[in-house]
Amino acid sequence: MAIKSMETFLKEASVLQDENPQKLHLLEQALNSAVTQNDLLKQYDTRLKIVEVASFSGKLEKALMHFGWCVSQHDNDPLIFPLKSLLWKYKYIMSIAPKFHTISLDKINTLEENMERHYRQAGCSIRPVKVTLASSTYFKGEATEGLSLFLQSLGYQRDYYADCVACELNLKVSLLVANAKDEDAVSQSQVLISGVNHCAEVPHLTYSELLPSCTRLGDEQLAQKCLTKGYQLIASNPVYLPQMGMQLQYCALNGLLALGISRFQGHIHWWQDALCHWSLYEFELGAMLLFIAAAAEQEEVTLNLPESFSCYSSTGVYKTQVLADYFKQKLMVNTRGFDQRNGNDFFGVRVAQSQVLLSERTETNNVSIT
Amino acid sequence: MDILEQRFQVNLSGIIDLLSQHLYSGPQVFVRELLQNGVDAITARAHDEPNCEKRLTVEILSNRLEVTDSGIGLTEEEIHRFLSVIGQSSKRDLMGKQLDYIGQFGIGLLACFMVSDEITLQTKSANSPLQSWQWTGKPDGTYSVEQIDLDMPIGTRVILNANNQGKQYLEAKELLHWLNYYGKYLPYEINFINGKQHQRISALSIPWDYESTNKSNFNDKALTAAQDYFNGPFFDIIPFQTLKGKVKGIAYISAQPGALNGQQHHQIFLKGMRLSDTAHNILPEWAFFVNTIINAEDLSPTASRESLYQDETLAQCCEELGEQLIEYLIDMSTYSEQKFSHFVEIHQLSLKSLAAKNDYFCKKITPHLSFLTSKGRMKLIDYIAQNAILSIINNIDEFRQISQISNSKSQCVLCTGFAFDQEIIYKYAQLEGLEVKVVDPQSTVSQLQDVTQQGLLTFLKRINTMLNSEDVLVTLKHFEPVEVAALFVSSEKQMFISTAKKIQEQTDDFWGGIIDGVTDTSKTYQSNELCLNASNELVLQLSQLDDAELLKTYLQVLYVQSLLMGNFAVGDKELSLLNQGLLYLMNTGLNSLISNNNTCH
C-alpha cells in the first residue's frame, strides 16, 4: 500500500521535535523507501537524520547502527559521502558506544582512535575527541581518570565541532559527582541550573545527576529542586531513562518511597523499551533500592504496571520483595556486564555502596509508601 | 505640619520626545493625527448639518503643509479649552452624543511637533461663523491666539512648516504614501494637491461595504482590495462581521501552506482609519490560515493607535470571529467535502499542530479531519459513528501489516503514525471521554483462526523451516480477505534486529561487531512472522505441491511480496530472492508448457 512518498515522510518528520517518537518512525519510513529505491545518497542523508533523532529520543542503538552504515559509505567513497557530515555525530556515537557493555573495550578504543583520526584528517581541533574520551572513560569504570582527562581536554582549542559550554560543564559536574567531589559539583552546577548556560539537554541532565551529591551532602533544598524542576525537564523523553533511575535512587535512599514508586510506575515503559545497558543499569539500581526500602516497610504494594511487564499482576498487588529481587537480578546482569567488559569492579561497587547506604538510612529514616 | 498641595509640572518638549521616541512608531503618525482630527471635525458638523460639505484637502507648498477640513471648526473658547490643555479632547467631551469620532486622547496634535517646530491652526466655527481665529503653538509649551481677518469657509486649516526631521515626511512621494496608508478608506473625500498634481486619496469603494454586491462582484472587490496588502493565491474569500466591537471585514483564506506558527497578517482599520498591520490579537492564534481586512467601529485602540486595546470587547470579538471561522470550516467539511479535503491538504500540518495544542480547536475540528484507517481515509466523525472505541496503531509499519486484514474483520483501525496524529487522537478522546485502544500486529495475528485440518498441519510442518535463512517464522492461519496470500508481521524490536542484520552486511567487520554489541540484548525476541493464508487458493494449491525446491521458491516469492505489500525495506538480498524465484518459476512454467506441447505433437 503506497501511503505516502519519501519526501512527504521527510516533510512530516521535519515539523516534529527530535524527542517525538513519531519523528523517528517517519524517518524510518522515508529510509525504507530510499532502501527499496536503492538510492544511496538519500539513504545516507536520511540515516544521518536518524542518528541525530535517535540520539535525542533514547533509541541509542539505532543511532549507532545507522552511523556505522554511514561511516562505511564514507570509507568506500569519501567524495560522495563527505567526512564533514559525520564529524558532529561522531560525538554522539562516542558517548553512546561505551554505554553498551556488549561493545568490547577494544572496539571502543578503536572507535576513539578512528574519531581522532577523522577529526585530524578534517583539520579540526581534537577537543571534542578528548571530551568524549573523558566521558567514555567513566563508563569504562575509571571515574578519576575520566575527570583528569576532562580537565586536560580544556587545553585544546574550541572550534565549530566543540560541544557547547553547557554540555562540557555538565560533563564536568557529573564527573565531579562520580568522584564524590560534591561541594565542587554543586558549586560548578550553579551556572547550569540558574540557566546562565543551557542547551537542549542541559540542565535537564544536570538536576538528576546532582542527586547523589545531594544525598551525600544532605542538601534537601537542592534535591527538592532536582526532583521537581529537574523531573519536569526529563519527564517526557525516554532518552532520560538513566536520569529517571537516579531520581528513583535518591527517593529510595532518602525515604521518599511514594514519590519514587509513582515515578517508577510512570516510566517503567521506558525501561521496557530500552536496550542501552547503562540506561537499564541506572533504572534497575533505582528500582531495586526502591523496592528493598519498600520491603522493609511493607510486604505488598499496589501498582499500576503494564501487562507486558514480566511480573505483571492483574490484581495490581505486588510483593515488594519479589520486585526487589526481580530488579536485583536484572541489575546484576548489567553490573557484571560492565565490570567484566571493563576489567574492574566500578559498577559492582556502586551497587554495593548504594545498598549499604540504604540499609544505614532505612534504620534511621521514617519512610512512607502511601 | 501643614501639607502643601502642589501641581505637577509638565515638560511639553519632554512629552513630545516621549511620544516620538517611545509611543509612536515614527514621525509619520502626524499624517494620521491630522486626518483623524479633520474627519472627526466633519463628523461633528454633519451631525447638526447633514448636508454640509464633507471634504478634506492636503496641500504641499514647498516645505509647508496645509491640511484643510470642512468640519465644525473651533470657537475661541474651544481653542483655549481643547488645544491648550494636553490630554483634553473635544471628542471625549462630546462622547455623550454618540458620534463616531476616531480620536479621543487629546494628544494627537502634539505629533505634529515631530515634523514641525510650530503648528498654526486657522479656524472658523460653524457655531460662530463671523469670526476666524488663529492659534499658534510651539514645542516649548507657549501658544498664542488671535482673531484674524481671513475670508475662510467654516472649518479648520492646519499649517506646518517642516523642520529638519520633517522635511522627508513633507515630500510629495512620502506624504502620498502615508496618506494612502492611513486614509484610503476614511468616510469623506480626501484630496491631495501638489502644484498641478491633484489626486484623490479616499477610495470610491470600501472593501467591507459588501451588502449590496453579489458574490461575483464581492470577489472582484475583495481581490482588488487585497492587492495592496496580501499576496495570493487565495483558497477562498469570505465576509464576516461581529456584534461585539462591530467588526466587519473580509477573510482571505490562504491557498498556500504557511510555516508552522506562521504569523497572521491583518489590515486593521478603526472607523476607516488604518490602525495597524501588525496587530494579531483580533483573531484566535489558531487562525493561521486567514489574512484579513477588518474595520472595527467599536474597538478601542491603545494610546499609540497602533494596536488594539486588549479589553473584554476585543476578547469577545475575537471569540466571535473564531466561531465564524470554525463554522465556515465545519460547513465546508459537511457540504463541500472535496473542497474541505483540499483545504486540509494545503494546511494539514499546521492544522494538526494546532489541534494537538489547542483544546477548543481540537474539539471542533478533529471530528472533521480525515485519518488513514484500515478501511481507507475516513473522517473521525464517521469513524466514531461506526466504532465505539478508537483503535489506533502508532506506527506506520505496523499499520500496514494490520490494515491488510483488519479491514475484513469488524475492527477498523486508525493509523496515528503521522505527524501529530497520536497527540490529536489522545487529546480528542480525553476531551470527549472516548476510549483509546492501541492495537499491535502480533496480538492481532495471534487471534486469527489456526488451521486444524491434518493436511494443512502437515504442510505447515514441511514449510516452517524453509525460510530459516531469512529469520522468519512461517505460520498458517485462516483470514480474510482471501485474496491476500501472505502477511508479514514484525514488531519494532524485530524490525530493529532485521534492519541491523541488513546493515551488518553492508558494513565492515569493525562496525559489524559494534552492531552485534547493540543487538545482542535483543536475542531473546521472537522472529518475524510470515503468516500464510490457509483460505487463499494459491496457498491451498501449494499445500498439495510435492516438489520441495519449487515450494521453497514459491515461499520466497510470497515472502518478498509480503514485504513489498507492507512497504518494508526490500534490500538487494530480497530483490535477488524475488528475481531468482520469478525466473525459476517462469522457467519451470515454460518447460512444462513446452513439454506439454511436445507431448501433444
Side-chain angles (χ1 to χ4, degrees):
Chain A
M1 188 193 299
I3 295 180
K4 295 208 175 182
S5 69
M6 178 185 172
E7 284 69 27
T8 317
F9 286 128
L10 289 175
K11 188 180 165 201
E12 292 232 352
S14 71
V15 301
L16 298 176
Q17 303 278 333
D18 283 355
E19 61 265 28
N20 188 327
Q22 298 301 82
K23 182 161 190 164
L24 188 56
H25 286 152
L26 288 163
L27 288 173
E28 287 175 333
Q29 289 299 311
L31 178 61
N32 282 353
S33 303
V35 170
T36 304
Q37 290 165 24
N38 202 19
D39 188 328
L40 287 182
L41 273 176
K42 281 184 181 165
Q43 281 190 57
Y44 187 80
D45 288 344
T46 312
R47 286 183 204 269
L48 283 180
K49 287 191 178 90
I50 290 178
V51 170
E52 177 96 19
V53 173
S55 301
F56 284 94
S57 63
K59 298 291 180 188
L60 308 184
E61 59 284 354
K62 290 189 177 179
L64 267 175
M65 183 171 90
H66 290 290
F67 186 77
W69 186 93
C70 292
V71 173
S72 299
Q73 297 307 310
H74 163 75
D75 289 344
N76 290 339
D77 195 338
L79 285 178
I80 294 183
F81 306 103
L83 180 59
K84 291 245 171 182
S85 58
L86 299 171
L87 291 181
W88 189 273
K89 294 182 175 63
Y90 242 121
K91 296 186 294 177
Y92 304 156
I93 299 310
M94 264 315 303
S95 68
I96 290 170
K99 293 174 183 168
F100 286 85
H101 56 62
T102 38
I103 298 179
S104 68
L105 281 185
D106 278 352
K107 289 241 176 319
I108 295 167
N109 294 338
T110 308
L111 197 54
E112 285 161 1
E113 286 160 20
N114 286 349
M115 181 182 179
E116 183 165 341
R117 179 170 50 86
H118 280 130
Y119 265 70
R120 287 189 188 280
Q121 203 178 318
C124 304
S125 162
I126 57 162
R127 181 179 174 121
V129 182
K130 298 298 177 189
V131 171
T132 46
L133 184 61
S135 159
S136 69
T137 303
Y138 167 79
F139 293 104
K140 292 175 191 168
E142 305 286 351
T144 313
E145 176 67 5
L147 181 57
S148 161
L149 285 171
F150 175 81
L151 296 174
Q152 286 172 34
S153 75
L154 300 179
Y156 291 88
Q157 187 202 337
R158 280 191 146 270
D159 67 5
Y160 172 77
Y161 290 100
D163 273 334
C164 73
V165 175
C167 276
E168 283 190 356
L169 187 51
N170 182 70
L171 176 59
K172 185 180 182 185
V173 169
S174 58
L175 289 169
L176 286 169
V177 174
N179 283 280
K181 296 182 183 300
D182 299 316
E183 280 166 1
D184 206 2
V186 171
S187 149
Q188 299 267 324
S189 71
Q190 288 311 304
V191 287
L192 301 178
I193 60 181
S194 64
V196 174
N197 292 125
H198 62 94
C199 67
E201 287 196 312
V202 176
H204 310 47
L205 299 166
T206 321
Y207 279 115
S208 300
E209 290 175 357
L210 272 175
L211 282 167
S213 291
C214 293
T215 301
R216 289 189 289 258
L217 293 171
D219 189 338
E220 287 182 15
Q221 205 179 346
L222 178 59
Q224 183 65 19
K225 215 184 229 185
C226 297
L227 291 173
T228 49
K229 200 168 177 188
Y231 175 74
Q232 285 166 16
L233 289 171
I234 63 172
S236 59
N237 186 349
V239 80
Y240 298 117
L241 176 63
Q243 286 69 33
M244 198 56 74
M246 293 167 194
Q247 298 243 336
L248 301 189
Q249 292 161 31
Y250 181 87
C251 289
L253 293 170
N254 292 277
L256 303 170
L257 298 191
L259 180 66
I261 284 174
S262 143
R263 282 181 189 177
F264 168 80
Q265 282 184 135
H267 300 279
I268 187 173
H269 63 286
W270 289 3
W271 173 78
Q272 289 179 295
D273 288 342
L275 294 179
C276 168
H277 296 126
W278 178 60
S279 305
L280 296 170
Y281 170 89
E282 293 292 351
F283 192 85
E284 286 157 2
L285 177 57
M288 179 195 76
L289 295 174
L290 201 57
F291 289 110
I292 290 176
E297 291 301 305
Q298 57 193 71
E299 203 178 321
E300 290 179 343
V301 63
T302 303
L303 299 170
N304 180 16
L305 299 181
E307 279 182 48
S308 49
F309 178 50
S310 309
C311 307
Y312 174 73
S313 153
S314 56
T315 60
V317 178
Y318 294 85
K319 300 259 185 227
T320 44
Q321 192 55 53
V322 170
L323 290 177
D325 292 344
Y326 173 79
F327 281 104
K328 183 175 185 180
Q329 187 202 344
K330 293 279 175 192
L331 174 65
M332 284 307 127
V333 172
N334 285 316
T335 306
R336 275 196 297 274
F338 277 114
D339 286 346
Q340 278 172 9
R341 191 261 318 255
N342 296 337
N344 55 35
D345 59 0
F346 177 79
F347 284 85
V349 167
R350 261 196 69 195
V351 173
Q353 284 176 342
S354 301
Q355 282 179 292
V356 170
L357 189 60
L358 177 65
S359 61
E360 286 168 5
R361 293 201 161 212
T362 312
E363 285 165 18
T364 53
N365 278 340
N366 284 322
V367 292
S368 165
I369 296 179
T370 50
Chain B
M1 194 170 85
D2 291 338
I3 295 172
L4 289 176
E5 199 170 79
Q6 304 204 21
R7 278 194 173 276
F8 285 108
Q9 299 295 307
V10 176
N11 177 340
L12 186 61
S13 57
I15 288 193
I16 293 163
D17 183 58
L18 190 72
L19 292 180
S20 59
Q21 301 296 324
H22 303 290
L23 186 65
Y24 295 136
S25 58
Q28 74 279 357
V29 296
F30 83 95
V31 178
R32 181 187 67 202
E33 299 303 324
L34 288 173
L35 289 174
Q36 178 178 296
N37 286 342
V39 167
D40 286 343
I42 297 170
T43 303
R45 185 175 175 190
H47 179 255
D48 299 327
E49 205 184 324
N51 295 325
C52 69
E53 189 186 15
K54 302 180 186 80
R55 186 193 294 264
L56 212 147
T57 307
V58 180
E59 186 170 8
I60 298 184
L61 302 153
S62 185
N63 272 338
R64 175 186 164 100
L65 175 75
E66 290 188 10
V67 179
T68 310
D69 68 67
S70 59
I72 195 164
L74 294 168
T75 63
E76 185 189 9
E77 186 270 328
E78 285 168 340
I79 288 174
H80 286 290
R81 188 147 55 98
F82 298 130
L83 292 185
S84 310
V85 182
I86 307 298
Q88 183 85 325
S89 169
S90 60
K91 300 146 197 175
R92 199 183 301 147
D93 285 8
L94 294 169
M95 284 299 173
K97 285 192 181 177
Q98 296 292 311
L99 297 186
D100 284 335
Y101 295 124
I102 305 172
Q104 55 181 291
F105 296 108
I107 55 172
L109 204 59
L110 293 181
C112 296
F113 284 128
M114 291 194 279
V115 293
S116 172
D117 293 336
E118 186 178 89
I119 304 171
T120 302
L121 183 141
Q122 298 169 339
T123 184
K124 180 183 277 185
S125 169
N127 298 320
S128 172
L130 297 176
Q131 294 171 314
S132 299
W133 295 92
Q134 179 166 296
W135 173 90
T136 307
K138 294 192 172 168
D140 60 7
T142 58
Y143 73 94
S144 60
V145 181
E146 59 184 315
Q147 189 170 359
I148 51 170
D149 184 17
L150 184 68
D151 181 23
M152 66 178 288
I154 290 170
T156 301
R157 178 184 300 134
V158 178
I159 302 163
L160 303 178
N161 288 296
N163 59 18
N164 275 344
Q165 182 177 234
K167 274 180 190 159
Q168 75 170 96
Y169 293 96
L170 264 60
E171 278 175 12
K173 195 177 166 195
E174 184 79 6
L175 189 62
L176 202 52
H177 168 77
W178 291 113
L179 284 169
N180 269 304
Y181 181 88
Y182 289 117
K184 188 170 181 179
Y185 296 125
L186 284 169
Y188 307 125
E189 184 182 331
I190 301 171
N191 291 297
F192 172 73
I193 301 170
N194 177 27
K196 288 180 182 171
Q197 180 190 2
H198 284 237
Q199 191 170 334
R200 184 182 166 110
I201 301 295
S202 45
L204 293 170
S205 162
I206 306 289
W208 48 85
D209 283 348
Y210 42 67
E211 272 83 2
S212 55
T213 48
N214 60 29
K215 176 75 182 163
S216 162
N217 287 342
F218 167 76
N219 278 346
D220 288 348
K221 197 173 165 179
L223 283 171
T224 309
Q227 279 171 3
D228 290 343
Y229 309 118
F230 315 120
N231 293 324
F234 303 114
F235 174 84
D236 208 352
I237 303 173
I238 51 170
F240 60 81
Q241 51 188 312
T242 68
L243 290 173
K244 282 286 170 189
K246 292 186 188 160
V247 164
K248 259 180 91 180
I250 303 170
Y252 299 82
I253 314 289
S254 174
Q256 285 173 336
L260 283 184
N261 307 318
Q263 287 261 304
Q264 305 165 2
H265 296 284
H266 304 304
Q267 304 302 325
I268 300 175
F269 295 79
L270 218 55
K271 295 171 183 152
M273 172 75 81
R274 179 81 161 277
L275 179 83
S276 165
D277 50 12
T278 54
H280 305 299
N281 52 355
I282 185 101
L283 255 76
E285 52 110 14
W286 51 258
F288 58 88
F289 49 86
V290 182
N291 297 322
T292 59
I293 297 177
I294 281 176
N295 183 54
E297 293 293 327
D298 204 11
L299 290 178
S300 304
T302 55
S304 71
R305 300 193 54 82
E306 287 169 15
S307 54
L308 291 168
Y309 185 62
Q310 190 77 48
D311 58 8
E312 185 61 20
T313 312
L314 179 63
Q316 288 172 344
C317 168
C318 178
E319 197 180 319
E320 248 186 274
L321 288 172
E323 285 287 354
Q324 287 181 37
L325 284 173
I326 293 277
E327 206 173 307
Y328 161 77
L329 293 176
I330 292 174
D331 277 357
M332 182 166 44
S333 80
T334 312
Y335 303 113
S336 316
E337 225 168 296
Q338 223 173 344
K339 189 174 168 184
F340 184 72
S341 303
H342 185 202
F343 174 81
V344 172
E345 207 172 299
I346 296 169
H347 296 292
Q348 170 159 230
L349 288 175
S350 304
L351 269 176
K352 287 205 232 164
S353 125
L354 267 171
K357 279 194 297 194
N358 182 307
D359 285 0
Y360 175 79
F361 192 72
C362 178
K363 207 169 168 175
K364 293 282 186 182
I365 285 300
T366 305
H368 305 279
L369 292 179
S370 72
F371 291 82
L372 188 63
T373 78
S374 52
K375 292 183 177 169
R377 291 206 77 84
M378 195 186 286
K379 278 189 191 175
L380 190 64
I381 196 170
D382 297 330
Y383 179 91
I384 291 168
Q386 296 162 31
N387 302 274
I389 297 173
L390 298 169
S391 303
I392 64 166
I393 302 182
N394 292 325
N395 183 314
I396 300 166
D397 271 334
E398 295 185 350
F399 173 78
R400 284 201 186 92
Q401 297 163 44
I402 290 189
S403 63
Q404 296 176 60
I405 54 168
S406 56
N407 187 14
S408 56
K409 298 178 68 186
S410 55
Q411 181 186 42
C412 177
V413 291
L414 279 163
C415 176
T416 51
F418 297 105
F420 306 114
D421 283 357
Q422 201 178 327
E423 291 100 312
I424 294 172
I425 291 292
Y426 276 114
K427 184 185 271 287
Y428 184 73
Q430 191 192 9
L431 291 169
E432 295 292 349
L434 296 168
E435 188 184 339
V436 178
K437 182 181 150 203
V438 179
V439 179
D440 71 278
Q442 286 76 17
S443 52
T444 305
V445 169
S446 70
Q447 287 162 20
L448 297 174
Q449 188 196 339
D450 284 313
V451 289
T452 49
Q453 299 101 309
Q454 194 51 50
L456 289 174
L457 287 171
T458 312
F459 172 60
L460 179 60
K461 209 171 171 183
R462 276 182 69 205
I463 59 174
N464 67 10
T465 54
M466 284 185 171
L467 289 177
N468 270 0
S469 59
E470 314 314 318
D471 198 18
V472 172
L473 174 76
V474 183
T475 58
L476 188 59
K477 299 190 179 208
H478 290 281
F479 59 87
E480 288 186 358
V482 293
E483 294 79 21
V484 175
L487 198 64
F488 184 80
V489 188
S490 176
S491 71
E492 194 186 346
K493 280 185 177 168
Q494 288 160 351
M495 277 312 297
F496 165 67
I497 291 166
S498 304
T499 311
K501 282 182 179 164
K502 282 178 191 161
I503 290 180
Q504 272 181 312
E505 289 163 13
Q506 297 170 56
T507 56
D508 57 21
D509 287 349
F510 173 71
W511 278 102
I514 287 190
I515 293 169
D516 247 347
V518 296
T519 50
D520 181 61
T521 49
S522 316
K523 271 181 183 164
T524 50
Y525 294 109
Q526 66 182 85
S527 310
N528 296 316
E529 182 176 345
L530 179 70
C531 180
L532 296 180
N533 188 354
S535 305
N536 176 271
E537 192 59 33
L538 174 68
V539 174
L540 286 173
Q541 284 179 356
L542 288 178
S543 70
Q544 308 295 319
L545 193 63
D546 289 329
D547 184 335
E549 189 60 26
L550 197 55
L551 183 57
K552 187 175 176 183
T553 307
Y554 270 110
L555 276 180
Q556 286 171 337
V557 171
L558 280 177
Y559 161 65
V560 181
Q561 190 216 12
S562 69
L563 287 178
L564 286 167
M565 290 282 287
N567 195 40
F568 289 99
V570 176
D572 291 345
K573 189 180 168 194
E574 290 80 15
L575 284 176
S576 164
L577 270 184
L578 184 68
N579 287 340
Q580 286 169 15
L582 286 175
L583 283 173
Y584 180 77
L585 293 176
M586 282 191 278
N587 273 332
T588 312
L590 277 174
N591 287 339
S592 162
L593 273 175
I594 291 164
S595 143
N596 280 345
N597 276 347
N598 288 343
T599 313
C600 291
H601 287 301

